[in-house]
Amino acid sequence: MATPVTQTGNAVAPVQIQPCWSCRGPLAADAAFCATCAAVQPPGQADHFARLGLARRFDIEPAALDRAYFTRQRLFHPDRFAGRSAREGAIAESRSVSLNAAYETLRDPLRRAGYLLELAGHPVAGDGATIADPELLVEVMERREALSEAATAEAVTAIVVDTREESRAAHAALAAALAEADYPAARRHATRLRYLAKIADEARRRAADLESRAA
């Protein structure tokens, strides 16, 4: 008997076959439901992109992400399993939790970039890690110094605007680096983007504080 295959881009990969937990009938490892007994299947080990049926890439249309998420999430709504066994209800819930985790990770560009870099074996250092890039370290120190010296809401707002523009440029550079599979560069841009986001948050809080004092 020939091994069934599935088409992925230009590559043809063999389909992983496993038994249904309920009827033991054969099914594809990534199948959500058994074709024989219709039992919902455990979520398995798929990555976030595969779980939502999306190509593994940084450039994702928000509308396509929303459509993929809500279409799948409806399949595992608790109401659809009201008359099923407790085990099926638990499996459906685990499917729903997995979809939520995938959606929350992929809808945030910075988290999506971090996840792609993690999958590629180039994880970004977590919060609290020392900045290893001397150029970025100087930039962060200068921006925070400028923020601490800004005495008016207008001055702080100017910093917010400048940081927002720098963030847009860093986002574009990050997208280009990931598209070219230049992971070291992508990691640098992702780290810089994360610090720019922190400074923007600090600036917005300082602007609000100055405005409240002036009121």
Side-chain angles (χ1 to χ4, degrees):
M1 181 178 179
T3 302
V5 297
T6 185
Q7 190 80 27
T8 305
N10 295 322
V12 178
V15 172
Q16 300 291 325
I17 300 297
Q18 66 182 21
C20 168
W21 66 267
S22 178
C23 70
R24 311 308 296 172
L27 50 76
D30 60 352
F33 295 91
C34 175
T36 303
C37 69
V40 64
Q41 301 299 306
Q45 300 299 316
D47 66 53
H48 292 332
F49 293 94
R51 197 171 301 288
L52 290 170
L54 300 170
R56 188 184 292 185
R57 56 187 297 174
F58 180 68
D59 185 16
I60 294 177
E61 288 293 331
L65 176 61
D66 287 349
R67 188 164 52 250
Y69 169 69
F70 288 111
T71 297
R72 285 162 176 75
Q73 195 61 281
R74 280 195 291 272
L75 296 175
F76 308 109
H77 191 280
D79 289 349
R80 295 175 63 94
F81 297 87
R84 306 288 187 89
S85 68
R87 182 171 180 180
E88 275 205 83
I91 292 174
E93 184 178 356
S94 68
R95 278 268 180 185
S96 180
V97 169
S98 297
L99 286 171
N100 287 339
Y103 181 66
E104 292 300 323
T105 299
L106 299 188
R107 76 173 180 168
D108 179 84
L110 194 50
R111 291 183 66 184
R112 184 165 68 244
Y115 185 64
L116 279 167
L117 286 165
E118 181 181 333
L119 291 174
H122 296 266
V124 179
D127 287 338
T130 303
I131 301 177
D133 182 343
E135 187 175 340
L136 175 59
L137 178 60
V138 170
E139 180 185 0
V140 171
M141 291 174 64
E142 289 179 347
R143 287 182 180 278
R144 286 200 164 129
E145 183 178 356
L147 182 58
S148 68
E149 292 176 350
T152 64
E154 289 75 15
V156 175
T157 299
I159 292 175
V160 172
V161 172
D162 178 70
T163 305
R164 185 182 301 142
E165 292 175 354
E166 286 294 322
S167 295
R168 288 198 187 100
H171 186 281
L174 171 61
L178 285 170
E180 296 169 1
D182 185 351
Y183 298 121
R187 187 165 55 183
R188 288 197 302 275
H189 293 308
T191 302
R192 180 168 183 256
L193 195 54
R194 187 177 64 190
Y195 278 100
L196 287 172
K198 288 182 178 180
I199 290 170
D201 286 342
E202 292 170 13
R204 281 190 286 269
R205 286 197 297 271
R206 182 164 172 75
D209 181 55
L210 288 171
E211 287 174 352
S212 66
R213 290 183 186 180

